[in-house]
Each structure stands twice: as C-alpha cells, then as structure tokens.
Amino acid sequence: MGNGPARRAFGEAVIQLVSHPALAELHPTEPHVETRERLLALLDTFGIVEGRPAKREQIELCHEPAYLERLEALDAPTLLDPDTVASETSWEAALLAAGCSLAAVDRGGFALVRPPGHHALPDRAMGFCLLDNVAVAARYAQKELGAGRIAIVDWDVHHGNGTQQIFWEDDSVLFVSMHQWPLYPGSGGPGEGNETTVNVPLPAGSGDEDYLRAFKETVAPAVSGFDPELVLVSAGFDAHVDDPLAGMRVTANGFRELARATSALAPRLAAVLEGGYEPGTLPGLVQAALEGFQA
Ligand code: ZN
C-alpha cells in the first residue's frame, strides 16, 4: 500500500473502502482496457478492508444457475462476448467482487472491484462484466438486511443495461442512469423507462455543468420521490475528460459534486466501482467521489 496524499486523506475518511488484492490476479485480461492495473493503482493509493467471496445463492438472486455453472466451469481463457474475456479463475474474481460489494453495503462503504458489473445480464456476460455487483448488493440488502425500497444511481458513462433488466419489473428498486447516448451498449435512449426505471441520456461532450443540471432536474426528483431506505451508486469514472472509452468532459470536481448531490438524497449509501479506464487518473477520481460522499 502506498502512502501518497490520497492515503492520508483516507485516514480521516468515514467511508470504508472494501476490496481485495486477489482481484488483480484472478481475472487476467491483458491487453484489455479493463486491466489489473486499474485495481493495482487503487490499492497503491488507498487503505482497504478485505472483502470475502459472495455465496452462490446470493448471486442466484440476480443470475441464472446455468450461466453461473458455465462461468465456474471455464478451464481456459474464453471470449464470453465480443468485449468480455474470462479465464479459469474469473469465477473466483467475480464472486469476490460481488462479495466486496455486499460488504460495502454492510459498512456504508465503497467497493473498489473488478470486473465491473452493470452490463452483466441474468443469463450472460456482457461489456467487461460477469456478475452485476450492484444488483446483487441490492437484493442482499433487501433479503438479508431487511431493506425495503432501494435506489440505484448509475453515473458510469455507459448505460447500465444489466441492472435495468434485472429490476425492470421490480418496483421495490428504482434504477436511475445518467450516460452518454448514443454509445455502447445502445440502450437507455430517450423514452426508454418505466415507473421505476429512469434514463438520462446525455450527448457526447457533456461536462460538469451538464451532469449537475441533469442530476438536479431529473435524478434528484426521481430519487426523492421514491423515498428509498438505501441508495447504491454504480460509480463509474469513464465520463472523465481523459477517459479513453467515451467522449464526456467530467472533471474530478464534477465527480465530487455528483457524489455530494447523491449523498444528500441518501439516508444510507454504499458505492460500487464500475468503469474508469485510465489507471493514472482513477485514484484521484475515486478520492474526489469519497470527498463528495462525506461532505
Ligand atoms: Zn462504463
């Protein structure tokens, strides 16, 4: 673990960071952009609490058994979809990432995990994602912690189509996503939604002011109106101006303000890392979000 300025700042933090060093090694993807370097950069910056693997029955609240059996049985690197590679140990990584997300709910913390989750569908991997960590966390909070209504706020630059699908017919979970559109995976466009699914598509080039305006006009009223007991954040940082995968212009200050605005809506809050593909900037963006969550 490093001892940079962010580490000292974390020493005063209320929010605990849950992760595990094995998440770097159990899911080898090189030369993929969703690389172990993302996690190593975070572990080098922050002190963490180590999470444990989720149990299979906790995962089965969101994913179909036949898909989980296929993941567990992989015995060689395999392309599960055009963007998503998995190896013989990726199942262990996915269970650990989901388990860290559950621990983040327990602690009101922030799970720093990979692989990310919000594109994963009930029956298949998609878009770098194997298991939908934030969805598993929401069902865990309801089933094992007695939470009622939960809001998931997803500010990753891509639409959280997996999370949307899992909760599409579940009116106990509000899903709100702000994302660049059109962009991968293509869903989440204007007019796509229902009573408890709210999409906020934003044009390429949107920056801090655009995001904060959309948050104030659409996200905040939706979440307040839903009156959740718990807010979970799909915290992706790929809307950052320097991110290689998208075309947004959000800065560290923008993520700090988004986190602050989200925290203001939440009686209880936990966050789960999604995207953010520039390992050099990712720790500073996580730090900014931590400052906002604690403000
Ligand atoms: Zn993303």
Side-chain angles (χ1 to χ4, degrees):
M1 304 297 149
N3 284 300
R7 177 77 187 275
R8 283 195 293 277
F10 172 71
E12 299 160 13
V14 176
I15 291 182
Q16 291 191 325
L17 302 177
V18 187
S19 187
H20 199 291
L23 291 172
E25 309 309 327
L26 287 173
H27 184 53
T29 55
E30 279 69 17
H32 198 283
V33 67
E34 199 292 284
T35 160
R36 76 184 82 200
E37 301 302 328
R38 302 174 63 235
L39 190 84
L40 293 173
L42 293 169
L43 295 179
D44 195 44
T45 304
F46 300 107
I48 55 128
V49 176
E50 287 192 3
R52 285 186 293 213
K55 297 180 191 133
R56 194 188 192 95
E57 58 264 31
Q58 294 170 319
I59 305 298
E60 285 179 355
L61 296 175
C62 296
H63 293 281
E64 293 179 9
Y67 167 53
L68 302 182
E69 279 156 27
R70 182 176 177 222
L71 264 187
E72 187 174 18
L74 290 179
D75 57 5
T78 304
L79 210 51
L80 296 176
D81 97 328
D83 301 303
T84 314
V85 68
S87 72
E88 54 272 33
T89 52
S90 291
W91 165 248
E92 287 176 66
L95 285 182
L96 190 50
C100 289
S101 305
L102 306 187
V105 172
D106 287 334
R107 297 165 178 274
F110 192 158
L112 300 180
V113 294
R114 65 178 289 269
H118 72 156
H119 298 305
L121 296 166
D123 62 348
R124 66 180 175 93
M126 183 173 168
F128 319 166
C129 301
L130 302 182
L131 302 177
D132 193 328
N133 301 311
V134 80
V136 173
R139 288 256 156 92
Y140 164 76
Q142 291 183 321
K143 188 159 193 260
E144 299 187 43
L145 305 181
R149 300 155 75 81
I150 295 176
I152 298 174
V153 175
D154 184 331
W155 71 52
D156 186 279
V157 79
H158 303 97
H159 178 234
N161 63 298
T163 311
Q164 170 173 297
Q165 182 166 326
I166 289 167
F167 297 113
W168 184 260
E169 293 181 348
D170 181 345
D171 62 9
S172 70
V173 176
L174 174 72
F175 176 66
V176 186
S177 177
M178 309 170 79
H179 45 268
Q180 182 178 328
W181 190 90
L183 185 70
Y184 181 91
S187 50
E192 181 178 313
N194 63 25
E195 192 107 324
T196 53
T197 306
V198 178
N199 285 306
V200 187
L202 297 167
S206 298
D208 294 353
E209 286 184 14
D210 305 297
Y211 266 81
L212 294 168
R213 187 186 316 115
F215 192 98
K216 190 175 169 193
E217 288 177 357
T218 308
V219 178
V223 174
S224 311
F226 188 72
D227 193 23
E229 292 173 34
L230 169 68
V231 175
L232 299 178
V233 183
S234 263
F237 295 93
D238 39 9
H240 186 251
V241 60
D242 292 334
D243 197 273
L245 287 198
M248 296 306 219
R249 305 183 58 80
V250 178
T251 69
N253 193 51
F255 285 114
R256 185 182 296 107
E257 294 307 314
L258 277 175
R260 189 196 310 270
T262 307
S263 180
L265 299 170
R268 291 163 58 209
L269 180 138
V272 178
L273 180 67
E274 300 285 356
Y277 297 102
E278 171 43 59
T281 60
L282 186 56
L285 303 180
V286 168
Q287 174 66 31
L290 284 173
E291 289 164 7
F293 286 140
Q294 289 162 176

